[in-house]
Amino acid sequence: MPIVSVIIPSYNAADYITQTLESVLAQTLTDIEVIVVDDGSTDNTRNIVADFANKDPRLMLVEQANQFAGVARNNGMSKARGKYLYFLDADDYIETTTLEELVNAIEQHGADIAIAKSESFDNTTGDTWTIDGALNGVDFDRPIAHAEYCDRLFQSFIGWPWDKLFRKDFIDRTELKFQPLRTTNDALFVFCALALADTIVCLDSVLFHHRTNNKNSLEGSRAKSWSNALCAIRAIGDRLSESTRGRACLNSYHRWILNYSLWTIESLPSAEADAYLTEIEPVIRAIPQNGELELDPYESKLRDLLDLNRAKAISCAITALKERDRALCDREEFEHELEAERVQYDMWRDETEQKLKSVYESHSYKLGNALIKPMSKIRDIAGR
């Protein structure tokens, strides 16, 4: 049985996956298996992975129709035989000592999860920077019990899996799975694993390199699937509410909803942001307003934004009603004008008919008509 199962979902990653696989297969911890689940790629990704598999028996290629990374990771987990699970994205890479350091830490401290520092790098410029928010305010190189971090879990860690090593028997016991979503499919798995763990350990080493500014990444197209985040938020809340350990994380979870939702609204196009705000409002309104929920100024902005949004909606409704009433008034005024013109025309017609009748009945008209008739007969005879 391998020590670590490395699971890599891949979709159209031909430009990057060679670097990714080379970094994994060059690990100082050699007793590993690498499961690449190709998610229906339409480029050369599958052939590149197949070539690696032909050269290194530790690598397995699994193929599936395009169902996104969450389903691919679940597919890979179902085939994993390792004592530990590690999930890596197909466009990222890791240090050669990464798996060895994570395994040593998790075994030394008897933890369920090991987490290390990471850095981002720009795919175009090559610029790099440490991802500070991924390990925020935690102690390093010692076991951290659940009670020590549960009240700030969502503020201390980010809900992606590639900077974490998971004990497989712990994941099997909790029956955690990735959600079958286009985006935000990893938040449920990662956050709930942290919420249910007995102990975690954090390493003060940069072991992971996360690619940004990748045109093929779904990170840059969240506007197409903004509702996926709502699915994740609701599912996380449901899972946390099922256990005492999960409920201990609810205050941190509620703060995260406010923070994440405000960031989402500010980063989405206006139409999608308005739709998200409308959908998330019942969730926000249901968050208890108690003394334990200590919000920072950024997080507290969202409640104000909801009120502003409600006021905006009311204002729009009032404007629409005014425009409708104005249109009705204009129509009624037009109809009144038509009716007045019709009445005026009827009066003119009646007056004209009365005048004509008076003329026809007058003595002078009858005399003139009698004198004209003989002249008409003469004209008719002359014309023959």
Side-chain angles (χ1 to χ4, degrees), residues 4 6 27 29 32 86 94 97-104:
V4 179
V6 180
Q27 290 294 295
L29 177 66
I32 63 174
Y86 174 62
I94 57 179
T97 61
T98 294
L99 297 181
E100 183 177 7
E101 291 190 47
L102 290 172
V103 169
N104 288 342

Side-chain angles (χ1 to χ4, degrees), residues 9 22 101 114 119 140 194 230-231:
E22 286 177 346
E101 291 190 47
E119 72 170 16
F140 293 104
L194 289 165
L230 292 165
C231 294

Side-chain angles (χ1 to χ4, degrees), residues 23 50 60 76 95 102 170 184 235 260 264 336:
S23 73
M60 175 196 312
E95 293 292 314
L102 290 172
F170 161 67
T184 325
Y260 178 83
T264 297
H336 287 321

Side-chain angles (χ1 to χ4, degrees), residues 153-201:
L153 185 160
F154 289 82
Q155 290 68 49
S156 296
F157 309 102
I158 296 180
W160 52 43
W162 45 260
D163 62 351
K164 303 170 182 73
L165 183 73
F166 303 88
R167 188 184 295 273
K168 186 175 185 296
D169 60 1
F170 161 67
I171 296 299
D172 291 342
R173 186 170 65 253
T174 57
E175 299 182 340
L176 286 170
K177 301 291 183 184
F178 291 86
Q179 289 184 281
L181 304 173
R182 181 178 184 270
T183 53
T184 325
N185 53 67
D186 46 6
L188 173 68
F189 181 94
V190 175
F191 282 131
C192 288
L194 289 165
L196 299 175
D198 288 328
T199 304
I200 64 172
V201 60

